[in-house]
Amino acid sequence: MTDLNKLSLRQLQTESARVLSTISATNNNIYQFNKKAHHDSQNWYRAVIEWYVQEYGNLPSKTGPGKEIKLVLDN
């Protein structure tokens, strides 16, 4: 697994965007990430990605439903 602390801000944003595109945006889902982030957006992105990795075993760009997500700015 990739060390999330080594990902650039843009990588954190795109990986978390893939995750968020695959889950229901319920209060409980969002709250679990807010609870870990304490108003820090980079920690919030990491919390989202960590949850996904626990569910699917790797980054969303590499495995699971996140791999199928096409972002507007993908190359």
Side-chain angles (χ1 to χ4, degrees):
M1 214 252 347
T2 302
D3 180 0
L4 298 182
N5 291 318
K6 292 184 179 179
L7 295 179
S8 70
L9 175 57
R10 186 67 186 140
Q11 289 171 306
L12 289 171
Q13 291 169 332
T14 57
E15 292 292 347
S16 65
R18 289 177 187 280
V19 174
L20 295 172
S21 295
T22 66
I23 66 171
S24 297
T26 64
N27 284 341
N28 288 339
N29 280 344
I30 301 304
Y31 176 72
Q32 71 177 326
F33 308 132
N34 287 345
K35 193 167 56 172
K36 294 181 180 181
H38 304 290
H39 304 286
D40 181 321
S41 61
Q42 291 186 38
N43 285 340
W44 197 85
Y45 301 141
R46 285 185 197 97
V48 170
I49 298 165
E50 285 169 357
W51 173 86
Y52 187 92
V53 169
Q54 288 176 354
E55 292 290 314
Y56 297 101
N58 207 337
L59 294 174
S61 60
K62 307 257 186 230
T63 191
K67 186 175 179 182
E68 304 303 317
I69 302 297
K70 301 293 181 211
L71 300 174
V72 174
L73 296 177
D74 275 349
N75 291 331

